[in-house]
């Protein structure tokens, strides 16, 4: 039974990814600062910790008893404020969790996976790191940095049997964006801008992660898979021709 270790798995996209992994026969361990938001199967290991605290990550990985087959670096935060309004503390915390935290988890999980000669790390980035938008301060840079780190990890660890990929969700009706989509007008406006004419669902992201981890994607390495209904590349479609 493959073992999946999912950070930020207590709610939102992480919880949905964990549920999808469990449904596909993975043994699931979630790692989060918070307790699961919904009841989870008693077989899951719910490990408490903070991705910015290497000691808690080490403790959690040791508690697994074996190197994970799949690590999903999903824990993340966004703190909306312009560059002038954001505080240095919020800026630093956003980088610490989204970028450095993902590095810490990968750095501590990789040796066991490298020793075994197999394993897969999926970093959850964001289309917010590809097409930046005002008010997201350090989030865009952290996610673009995580995409770059995904490529670097594939180059350094690929030769020893690991795959490292990223999934970049677009406008997802769930997780940290739930509040935005409680407004019906905002929902309709945003869904209308997407070539697929709908918002993303948490399962769209979970399915992409599971496909990347499948044998069908065995030659995909260092890739950032955009799951956005076509939005990020649709800039020109929003500008009238005349
Ligand atoms: N929801 C979206 O619209 C969307 C879009 C693009 C990308 N993403 C990315 O998807 C990932 C999941 O986001 P979500 O929407 O489910 O968010 P969420 O806020 O619903 O859940 C994030 C989870 O991460 C945990 N977490 C936060 N900081 C942590 C830390 N330091 N250590 C351990 N756990 C921590 C939280 O406790 C929470 O359970 C994030 O990386 C986010 O940037 C989300």
């Amino acid at each position: 039974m493959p073992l999946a270790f999912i950070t930020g798995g207590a709610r939102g996209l992480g919880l949905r990814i964990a549920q999808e992994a469990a449904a596909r026969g993975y043994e699931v361990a979630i790692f989060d600062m918070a307790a699961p938001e919904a009841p989870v199967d008693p077989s899951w290991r719910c490990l408490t910790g903070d991705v910015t605290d290497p000691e808690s990550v080490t403790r959690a990985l040791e508690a697994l008893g074996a190197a994970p087959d799949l690590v999903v670096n999903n824990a993340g935060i966004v703190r909306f404020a312009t560059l002038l309004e954001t505080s240095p503390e919020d800026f630093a915390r956003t980088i610490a969790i989204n970028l450095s935290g993902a590095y810490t988890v990968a750095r501590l999980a990789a040796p066991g996976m490298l020793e075994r000669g197999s394993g897969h790390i999926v970093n959850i980035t964001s289309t917010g790191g590809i097409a930046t938008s005002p008010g997201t301060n350090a989030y865009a840079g952290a996610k673009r940095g995580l995409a770059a780190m995904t490529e670097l990890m594939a180059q350094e660890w690929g030769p020893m049997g690991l795959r490292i990929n990223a999934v970049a969700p677009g406008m997802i009706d769930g997780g940290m964006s739930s509040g935005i989509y409680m407004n019906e007008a905002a929902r309709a406006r945003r869904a209308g801008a997407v070539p697929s004419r709908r918002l993303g669902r948490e399962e769209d992201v979970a399915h992409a992660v599971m496909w990347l981890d499948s044998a069908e994607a065995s030659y995909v390495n260092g890739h950032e898979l955009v799951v956005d209904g076509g939005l990020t590349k649709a800039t020109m479609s929003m500008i009238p021709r005349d």
Side-chain angles (χ1 to χ4, degrees):
M1 199 183 241
L3 170 60
F5 180 76
I6 299 156
T7 72
R11 51 164 278 146
L13 301 187
L15 179 59
R16 190 67 190 79
I17 294 164
Q19 288 166 338
E20 198 61 40
R24 296 180 192 216
Y26 288 67
E27 194 181 338
V28 167
I30 58 174
F31 178 80
D32 204 300
M33 296 193 301
E37 197 181 62
V40 300
D41 190 273
S43 68
W44 291 22
R45 271 176 277 181
C46 300
L47 305 161
T48 306
D50 182 334
V51 295
T52 67
D53 168 25
E55 281 176 21
S56 71
V57 176
T58 300
R59 267 197 308 277
L61 290 168
E62 282 174 0
L64 296 180
D69 299 280
L70 170 65
V71 171
V72 184
N73 269 318
N74 164 83
I77 59 162
V78 64
R79 293 193 172 156
F80 293 107
T82 64
L83 290 170
L84 286 177
E85 286 165 348
T86 196
S87 68
E89 292 74 23
D90 276 359
F91 191 95
R93 184 81 181 141
T94 302
I95 298 281
I97 295 175
N98 293 289
L99 178 57
S100 312
Y103 167 69
T104 297
V105 172
R107 166 71 184 84
L108 294 172
M113 300 163 93
L114 291 167
E115 197 177 318
R116 188 183 53 215
S118 70
H120 187 202
I121 299 171
V122 177
N123 296 318
I124 305 299
T125 56
S126 171
T127 56
I130 300 169
T132 55
S133 64
T136 53
N137 58 80
Y139 186 74
K143 292 300 193 181
R144 195 177 290 191
L146 185 55
M149 200 169 63
T150 302
E151 298 167 12
L152 189 57
M153 287 174 174
Q155 290 162 38
E156 295 196 1
W157 299 338
M160 282 98 89
L162 267 58
R163 291 192 303 123
I164 301 88
N165 289 294
V167 169
M171 297 195 297
I172 307 298
D173 185 12
M176 58 171 64
S177 302
S178 308
I180 302 172
Y181 300 118
M182 284 162 79
N183 176 331
E184 272 308 319
R187 281 184 78 87
R189 206 168 39 242
R190 288 184 157 221
V194 179
S196 290
R197 292 292 185 270
R198 68 167 175 86
L199 298 170
R201 304 179 187 115
E202 291 179 349
E203 61 261 36
D204 293 321
V205 178
H207 292 161
V209 171
M210 298 323 296
W211 177 76
L212 278 171
D213 197 49
S214 75
E216 290 178 359
S218 65
Y219 199 53
V220 181
N221 208 349
H223 182 65
E224 184 177 33
L225 178 57
V226 175
V227 180
D228 72 343
L231 178 64
T232 310
K233 291 284 174 73
T235 323
M236 292 310 291
S237 74
M238 294 169 199
I239 301 168
R241 199 169 284 280
D242 47 35

